[in-house]
């Protein structure tokens, strides 16, 4: 049964920044911030060897036609995930080194622990480590204490494996409480929390008022910075329906270019490119990604960066003030 704690429920917002929109004022006059995100899940997915009752049916090469096995191993699925860890991870590292760009890793803690060499290489090359959960599986029915403990364990394991405590999070799964517990959990661990990407409703970061801070004096409220994510540019759509159409990389490449062009023209926005090691790391798709990266590299005034650095910029440029006052002040500065 799903547990819903009223304290952690945040109201929906259908107005956002309205007709005026919002200019994030990226550093050095950049027209757009581009955030590549690598979802690293290989080894954290469902597998009988890890005590699960079924094999992983989601986001692997056979798609919906692959099915799953109950109480049995499914080597086809296992090996597709292993390809992401064994081969694709290093292909993507070489690709980003070619362009001198850094990405944010949404790291499933158990998965990254199973590939410690890759974990250390991520940190060595300056890529950001964010938490993507302890395992890559649902935990929608956890009670509040189980919820908190699950998030804490993911953080502590990632710190153990990488030497870094994550400052941001994207689970994509969880209870109705999980995503709004983050600031509280980081604080309990005495760690710095900068951002969450548990939202899909805008093209710029924004501050979220936390209802349980309403009783505090305004100078003690911290809010939560949200850096929106998306599904439409997600390479997972190669295995979703409706998706990018078979395995053809060109449709994906064109969609990324169209998205970039619109946001670049508008200015002040950010673009997400969500990637999965085992998906985009297949040679044909990876070449399409490289073509898109070359397209971006040829454009002036583009900031390719991590979510950590986006959060630092936004926090320093638009400090939090409750009930939208930070927006009013930012717009006055731009007049």
């Amino acid at each position: 049964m799903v547990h819903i704690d009223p304290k952690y429920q945040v109201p929906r917002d259908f107005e956002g920044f309205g007709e005026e929109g919002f200019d994030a004022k990226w550093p050095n006059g950049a027209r757009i911030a581009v955030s590549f995100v690598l979802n690293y899940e290989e080894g954290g997915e469902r597998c009988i060897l890890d005590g699960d009752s079924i094999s992983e049916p989601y986001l692997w090469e056979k798609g919906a036609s692959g099915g799953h096995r109950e109480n049995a191993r499914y080597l086809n699925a296992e090996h597709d995930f292993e390809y992401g860890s064994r081969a694709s991870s290093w292909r993507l590292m070489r690709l980003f080194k070619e362009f001198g760009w850094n990405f944010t890793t949404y790291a499933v803690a158990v998965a990254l622990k199973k590939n410690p060499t890759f974990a250390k290489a991520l940190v060595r090359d300056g890529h950001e480590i964010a938490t993507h959960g302890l395992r890559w599986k649902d935990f929608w029915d956890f009670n509040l204490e189980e919820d908190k403990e699950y998030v804490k364990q993911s953080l502590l394991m990632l710190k153990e494996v990488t030497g870094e405590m994550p400052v941001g999070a994207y689970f994509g799964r969880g209870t109705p409480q999980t995503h709004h517990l983050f600031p509280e959990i980081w604080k309990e661990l005495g760690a710095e929390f900068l951002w969450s990407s548990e939202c899909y409703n805008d093209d710029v970061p924004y501050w979220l008022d936390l209802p349980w801070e309403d009783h505090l004096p305004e100078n003690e409220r911290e809010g939560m910075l949200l850096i929106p994510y998306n599904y439409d540019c997600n390479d997972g759509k190669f295995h979703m329906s409706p998706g990018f159409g078979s395995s053809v990389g060109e449709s994906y490449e064109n969609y990324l270019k169209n998205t970039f062009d619109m946001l670049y023209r508008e200015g002040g926005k950010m673009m997400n490119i969500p990637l999965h090691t085992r998906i985009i790391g297949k040679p044909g798709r990876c070449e399409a990604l490289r073509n898109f990266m070359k397209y971006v590299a040829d454009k002036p005034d583009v900031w390719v960066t991590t979510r950590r650095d986006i959060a630092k910029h936004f926090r320093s440029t638009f400090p939090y003030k409750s009930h939208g006052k930070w927006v009013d002040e930012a717009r006055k500065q731009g007049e």
Side-chain angles (χ1 to χ4, degrees):
M1 182 175 177
V2 178
H3 171 72
I4 299 177
D5 190 324
K7 175 183 175 182
Y8 297 102
Q9 305 313 305
V10 172
R12 298 178 71 184
D13 179 1
F14 291 92
E15 293 186 296
F17 297 113
E19 186 174 4
E20 293 180 59
F22 190 81
D23 181 352
K25 294 180 171 55
W26 303 122
N28 302 313
R31 293 194 56 76
I32 188 172
V34 176
S35 171
F36 290 91
V37 175
L38 181 65
N39 291 265
Y40 191 82
E41 300 152 347
E42 287 76 9
E45 83 281 3
R46 285 172 284 191
C47 179
I48 303 306
L49 298 179
D50 292 317
D52 300 299
S53 61
I54 63 170
S55 64
E56 182 57 60
Y58 185 53
L59 288 190
W60 64 283
E61 204 64 38
K62 276 198 169 185
S65 67
H68 67 274
R69 301 287 184 266
E70 295 187 11
N71 299 310
R73 296 181 67 182
Y74 193 0
L75 295 183
N76 309 53
E78 289 181 20
H79 286 181
D80 193 53
F81 277 82
E82 288 172 20
Y83 186 94
S85 175
R86 293 162 58 105
S88 296
S89 56
W90 301 112
R91 177 172 291 127
L92 289 165
M93 290 289 274
R94 292 191 295 271
L95 179 59
F96 277 86
K97 191 171 290 187
E98 176 186 344
F99 287 85
W101 294 344
N102 287 117
F103 54 78
T104 294
T105 312
Y106 286 172
V108 171
V110 167
L112 207 53
K113 187 172 183 177
K114 291 180 180 179
N115 194 352
T117 307
F118 184 60
K120 291 180 174 58
L122 287 169
V123 176
R124 179 199 67 204
D125 288 359
H127 303 296
E128 178 187 7
I129 307 293
T131 179
H132 192 29
L134 187 64
R135 293 279 312 280
W136 194 57
K137 56 191 290 187
D138 290 317
F139 57 102
W140 56 270
D141 56 347
F142 279 8
N143 64 38
L144 196 60
E145 290 310 310
E146 291 172 329
D147 207 350
K148 286 185 176 182
E149 185 61 23
Y150 182 88
V151 178
K152 285 181 181 178
Q153 289 305 313
S154 76
L155 293 170
L156 295 173
M157 185 175 290
L158 287 173
K159 184 178 181 182
E160 172 195 341
V161 173
T162 68
E164 283 191 2
M165 175 64 82
V167 297
Y170 173 77
F171 280 44
R173 308 185 186 199
T175 76
Q177 287 67 243
T178 306
H179 308 151
H180 299 130
L181 285 170
F182 292 153
E184 193 173 301
I185 293 170
W186 262 257
K187 187 171 290 187
E188 289 177 6
L189 291 173
E192 181 182 40
F193 176 74
L194 295 183
W195 61 269
S196 165
S197 282
E198 301 287 357
C199 67
Y200 315 84
N201 54 5
D202 219 308
D203 296 310
V204 289
Y206 64 92
W207 286 104
L208 180 71
D209 293 323
L210 300 176
W212 54 94
E213 292 186 339
D214 282 347
H215 70 285
L216 297 174
E218 184 152 334
N219 63 351
E220 294 181 16
R221 300 175 195 172
E222 298 180 4
M224 179 163 62
L225 181 62
L226 295 178
I227 301 179
Y229 194 47
N230 70 30
Y231 288 129
D232 64 298
C233 291
N234 197 314
D235 69 347
K237 290 176 74 71
F238 281 112
H239 300 333
M240 297 176 187
S241 181
F244 286 118
S246 72
S247 296
V248 179
E250 284 70 20
S251 55
Y252 173 67
E253 176 188 334
N254 288 336
Y255 189 81
L256 293 184
K257 288 178 178 177
N258 288 342
T259 302
F260 176 88
D261 286 347
M262 172 63 78
L263 295 174
Y264 184 80
R265 183 170 59 252
E266 290 180 346
K269 306 292 176 59
M270 65 171 288
M271 179 180 178
N272 295 285
I273 300 98
L275 310 171
H276 294 74
T277 320
R278 64 193 174 279
I279 301 175
I280 200 63
K282 298 292 168 55
R285 299 187 194 118
C286 205
E287 186 66 12
L289 175 64
R290 184 174 181 272
N291 289 338
F292 170 71
M293 293 169 75
K294 288 164 62 180
Y295 183 77
V296 170
D298 287 339
K299 303 289 185 181
D301 302 323
V302 177
W303 186 34
V304 179
T305 189
T306 63
R307 295 171 108 72
R308 175 173 54 203
D309 285 347
I310 288 173
K312 288 179 178 179
H313 161 78
F314 208 85
R315 284 172 168 271
S316 63
T317 309
F318 308 109
Y320 173 68
K321 292 184 182 296
S322 64
H323 300 97
K325 294 175 185 175
W326 65 275
V327 180
D328 297 334
E329 291 197 7
R331 283 183 171 148
K332 286 178 184 177
Q333 293 171 11
E335 290 176 355

